[in-house]
Amino acid sequence: MKGVTESTGARRLQRVVIASAGAARVSKQQRQGGGRRWLGVGAAGLIFLAANAVPGFTTGVRAAGPAVGPTNGSSISHTFNAVGPGASSGGTPVEQVCPPVYCDNFDFNVALPSADTTFYQSNKATLSVHYTWPTPTSGMNDMDVFAFDPAGTESGPGNPDTTTAFHEDLSITNPSSGTWHLRSVVGLTPAPTVASATITLTFVPIPAPPPPPGPQPGDPQFQNYMSPIQNRDGLGRPNAGEPSVGADFKTGAIMYMAGTQVSRINFDDTKVPPKDTWTDVTPPSLKNVNEDAILFVDHNTNRTYASGLLLAASEGAVSDNDGGTGTQTDWPPSQGSPTPQGPDHQTVGAGPYSAVSTPSHTFPDATYYCSQYVLQNIGPKSECGRSDDGGITYPTTNVSFPFQNGDCGAIHGHLRVSPNGTAMLSQNTCGTKQGGAVSFDNGGALTWRTFHATGTSPRAPGTGTDPSVAAGANNTVYYGVENGDGHPLIAVGAFNGRSNGDPITWSSLTDVGVPFGIQNSKFPEVIAGDDNRAAFAWLGTTASGNDQSPSFKGVWYLYVSYTYNGGTSWTTVNATPNDPVQRGCIFNGGGSNPCRNLLDFNDITVDKQGRVVVSYTDGCTAGANYNCETNPAINQSGCGTSEGSSFTSTASCTYGRFSALVRQVCGRGLFAANDPGFNQSPNCSQQPGVGAVPEAKSVPGLIGMGVAAIGVVSMTARRRRRCRRGSLIPPG
């Protein structure tokens, strides 16, 4: 979801129960950004707080400091004052404001050998926190640890976030220098509890990428296209960010949705390069406003699903003629979502029914709608509903909760359905790994099973992006992530048929950014074709450091990685050479931030011929008055909020927001039947740069050695040319 935020004030609605000894249970309503915050604490009623209170401010007693922080390879320890009794949840003012009883604060300094931007060009640092509290003599006790960097970016809670482990660990890659705030916070804490933390800092040099060999004919290349018809929604916000894309296998049309706008794109492949024609076919029922937009095209039925989330429910519409002329006849409205539904970050997907347990249905494929419940680690987390009439209705009898009984969080990626009817939903924090859940019986109640991708690790909450999962024609599973260290990793596995344990066995894991020296990545998106062919799209930068910080100097490009042999090797392509999609930070913490202009995800699809098509948001544009593509400046002084941003980059706000896509025009696609592929560009034989990542076949052993050992064997490189949109929630 584009946040539960508002263009004029960046508002987020969350509710959390906070209990103290003898106090009534009350709820909190937080308004974040310009404006004010309210925090309910016990029976005392409301404590009024200034909206611009920074994380360093606390209403409680602060520990003396800042303390001298750890140096390379060393640790410091701290024992917090007791906190509790009480209860809270992450992402609330409890850890941000740190009131007495609920929270205790410790400040320490992180010092690097040189300025952050200089040091992180050739080094990687890890700040680790091991946080412990006593095992209670009876019952449960869940504490939480949170860290705030000097700019106020929040990390936490640690892993595992449970009531029975009695410890949590935080791992923060490339911490900013300056004063950090570490906080011991009640989770579900029945009595005053003293916790301790050990803080460790380590440095390692970044290996230089191998020198690039020359271009290779036949490698994939892309043509870049920008929407000529982009407009704004009913609140004046750009219809760009979090774009969805799908391909109609019957007509060849590409369907694209961002904000409230749905476009149909037709290509004339007799031209070199192919000529694009964009037509606005927005459904009348969805054209005004939404908080999240999702579009999906089912390749089996060629039905297009469009969804606009409005917190309590989603509006929906379906089309069997690529949106026609954008009338209600072309887009009959649907129920849109199960009732009730999670109020954030919906996804829609469709595919064959599983033969394990096929329900009665009036449409050939099963349609799924899933959304998340804001609170990440308690309650139902996420909810999915299944439609058996092509997305027109979602009966309450078909509702299930994929993450309720596992160790995954709530917010999820795009739902995919494999050719054998397995429903797959990805999640970026499943214990100490990234993973998700699968259902082998069409989303049956209580039958979702959690999986964990071996060798992966999660980013700190609020700093990473959703993983992506897809399956090939014979159900080989491809799973792409922004790893805990920021690198783009893709795992390959197979359903194992187990009734217990992880339902996927993983056979390989590859860091596909190594040939380009990628240190930070965003927005992983995966699609598969033939069983041994898949494509993995992601944004990447060679800049290391905190990519959430306004001082981050990264230059980001859109990359696509291909395998034609089931993951034995991957070829990585810069799909936007000499045309960066962003300069600066890419903010993932929700709310309204100038460098949250791209919002929270991209999308990927494949057309009938096997071409890969990737939808993305261009945040670094070239215009008549300013050219971000060639000007290295990064400036947010004139941006205001991401919700009111300009379509294009300007001198005072280099963070633009423009709908775009890339379409494959050279090289082999994802269907071998159409080899040798495409030759639709005059530059197809003059490849400007590609990176090939061969991978050792004895991958299980490499996985046991850690990610650093994977994807670097015999490597060559060839260089080539949430809470997201505005909310209608009123203040207070």
Side-chain angles (χ1 to χ4, degrees):
M1 180 178 180
K2 293 175 255 334
V4 207
T5 59
E6 175 171 274
S7 55
T8 58
R11 301 168 184 160
R12 170 182 293 177
L13 178 66
Q14 291 181 323
R15 299 198 179 274
V16 62
V17 175
I18 304 175
S20 62
R25 291 167 70 88
V26 298
S27 66
K28 176 274 295 181
Q29 189 174 50
Q30 176 190 359
R31 184 182 177 199
Q32 186 175 313
R36 297 170 179 170
R37 289 193 186 119
W38 292 263
L39 171 65
V41 180
L46 296 176
I47 296 176
F48 179 84
L49 302 169
N52 295 321
V54 298
F57 170 79
T58 174
T59 60
V61 177
R62 288 183 62 172
V68 176
T71 57
N72 183 26
S74 71
S75 302
I76 63 171
S77 297
H78 176 73
T79 300
F80 291 95
N81 295 323
V83 296
S88 72
S89 176
T92 73
V94 176
E95 75 267 13
Q96 295 166 0
V97 180
C98 204
V101 181
Y102 298 94
C103 174
D104 188 48
N105 180 81
F106 172 64
D107 286 355
F108 65 95
N109 280 327
V110 169
L112 301 174
S114 57
D116 293 17
T117 53
T118 302
F119 181 73
Y120 285 133
Q121 288 179 5
S122 56
N123 296 275
K124 172 185 172 183
T126 302
L127 182 67
S128 303
V129 178
H130 182 61
Y131 172 78
T132 61
W133 62 96
T135 302
T137 55
S138 63
M140 64 182 183
N141 187 359
D142 179 26
M143 303 278 287
D144 288 318
V145 63
F146 295 89
F148 291 85
D149 74 7
T153 301
E154 177 179 345
S155 298
N159 290 314
D161 183 20
T162 70
T163 59
T164 57
F166 313 117
H167 75 273
E168 287 186 354
D169 291 287
L170 274 178
S171 180
I172 300 166
T173 301
N174 292 339
S176 302
S177 58
T179 300
W180 283 68
H181 315 292
L182 191 68
R183 292 185 175 162
S184 176
V185 181
V186 297
L188 293 171
T189 308
T193 303
V194 174
S196 300
T198 300
I199 306 163
T200 305
L201 183 66
T202 56
F203 305 155
V204 294
I206 298 172
Q216 298 295 315
D219 285 328
Q221 287 191 58
F222 290 82
Q223 183 71 27
N224 200 11
Y225 298 93
M226 308 287 287
S227 171
I229 59 173
Q230 179 176 312
N231 55 22
R232 295 180 181 267
D233 72 2
L235 294 180
R237 302 167 299 184
N239 276 324
E242 298 184 351
S244 299
V245 68
D248 187 324
F249 274 23
K250 181 179 179 181
T251 67
I254 298 297
M255 303 298 293
Y256 188 110
M257 184 176 188
T260 61
Q261 187 176 31
V262 177
S263 302
R264 181 180 63 243
I265 311 166
N266 297 104
F267 291 94
D268 181 355
D269 288 317
T270 66
K271 302 291 195 302
V272 178
K275 176 69 174 66
D276 58 320
T277 300
W278 296 61
T279 305
D280 190 328
V281 293
T282 302
S285 59
L286 274 65
K287 68 190 308 178
N288 185 34
V289 69
N290 65 53
E291 302 309 309
D292 270 334
I294 287 291
L295 175 144
F296 176 79
V297 179
D298 182 357
H299 293 163
N300 299 322
T301 66
N302 295 306
R303 172 165 286 190
T304 299
Y305 300 84
S307 171
L309 184 139
L310 290 172
L311 299 185
S314 281
E315 294 178 326
V318 300
S319 177
D320 294 321
N321 64 352
D322 301 332
T325 58
T327 68
Q328 189 156 312
T329 301
D330 299 307
W331 291 98
S334 71
Q335 180 181 336
S337 65
T339 304
Q341 64 144 12
D344 186 17
H345 210 70
Q346 89 276 31
T347 178
V348 176
Y353 283 92
S354 168
V356 172
S357 176
T358 305
S360 174
H361 54 280
T362 60
F363 193 75
D365 278 1
T367 305
Y368 297 89
Y369 175 102
C370 302
S371 56
Q372 68 108 2
Y373 275 98
V374 180
L375 297 181
Q376 295 296 297
N377 296 298
I378 60 175
K381 300 182 184 178
S382 296
E383 175 185 305
C384 291
R386 189 190 73 240
S387 171
D388 297 320
D389 56 8
I392 303 302
T393 63
Y394 292 87
T396 56
T397 53
N398 292 348
V399 169
S400 58
F401 302 94
F403 301 135
Q404 188 169 23
N405 296 317
D407 59 356
C408 295
I411 196 166
H412 48 70
H414 300 304
L415 183 138
R416 306 279 193 191
V417 181
S418 74
N420 70 359
T422 300
M424 306 175 291
L425 195 62
S426 56
Q427 215 283 324
N428 64 14
T429 304
C430 296
T432 59
K433 299 179 177 66
Q434 300 196 44
V438 299
S439 172
F440 297 116
D441 65 349
N442 308 300
L446 304 179
T447 62
W448 290 85
R449 294 172 54 201
T450 301
F451 68 85
H452 306 78
T454 305
T456 64
S457 62
R459 291 294 300 264
T463 66
T465 48
D466 303 330
S468 179
V469 63
N474 201 32
N475 304 297
T476 291
V477 179
Y478 298 91
Y479 182 81
V481 307
E482 172 195 351
N483 200 46
D485 60 2
H487 289 206
L489 304 186
I490 187 158
V492 181
F495 301 123
N496 55 38
R498 293 177 186 160
S499 58
N500 295 301
D502 268 32
I504 300 174
T505 299
W506 302 99
S507 58
S508 69
L509 181 69
T510 306
D511 184 341
V512 293
V514 169
F516 291 93
I518 299 299
Q519 300 303 317
N520 280 293
S521 65
K522 296 292 174 189
F523 305 162
E525 297 294 343
V526 179
I527 196 71
D530 291 344
D531 199 54
N532 62 346
R533 297 192 178 196
F536 173 27
W538 43 278
L539 302 185
T541 178
T542 57
S544 58
N546 180 9
D547 57 25
Q548 303 298 286
S549 170
S551 63
F552 185 69
K553 303 300 182 183
V555 181
W556 301 81
Y557 294 91
L558 173 61
Y559 296 87
V560 183
S561 303
Y562 284 77
T563 185
Y564 300 103
N565 52 22
T568 300
S569 63
W570 291 83
T571 297
T572 293
V573 177
N574 183 341
T576 58
N578 301 321
D579 184 3
V581 302
Q582 182 91 324
R583 293 187 186 272
C585 51
I586 297 179
F587 191 72
N588 304 126
S592 191
N593 182 297
C595 67
R596 199 162 177 272
N597 53 321
L598 309 185
L599 300 181
D600 288 340
F601 54 80
N602 293 329
D603 200 5
I604 188 171
T605 192
V606 60
D607 71 11
K608 185 177 182 179
Q609 286 71 40
R611 296 181 189 87
V612 172
V613 180
V614 184
S615 60
Y616 74 98
T617 305
D618 193 349
C620 180
T621 65
N625 298 317
Y626 186 80
N627 189 340
C628 175
E629 295 172 3
T630 58
N631 192 327
I634 300 170
N635 191 346
Q636 59 175 264
S637 63
C639 290
T641 69
S642 63
E643 300 299 352
S645 63
S646 167
F647 289 3
T648 58
S649 303
T650 65
S652 63
C653 180
T654 53
Y655 293 103
R657 191 158 152 185
F658 216 107
S659 291
L661 64 79
V662 294
R663 181 178 187 251
Q664 185 178 354
V665 292
C666 302
R668 288 181 293 168
L670 299 187
F671 299 132
N674 293 318
D675 285 349
F678 312 106
N679 187 18
Q680 297 174 290
S681 167
N683 298 318
C684 282
S685 62
Q686 303 170 16
Q687 188 65 340
V690 176
V693 190
E695 183 175 304
K697 293 183 179 180
S698 56
V699 175
L702 287 176
I703 288 178
M705 295 166 59
V707 174
I710 301 172
V712 296
V713 181
S714 303
M715 183 178 303
T716 62
R718 285 173 275 129
R719 191 173 173 82
R720 168 180 191 241
R721 240 261 335 134
R722 260 215 229 96
C723 317
R724 290 102 188 134
R725 288 179 65 79
S727 171
L728 301 180
I729 300 297

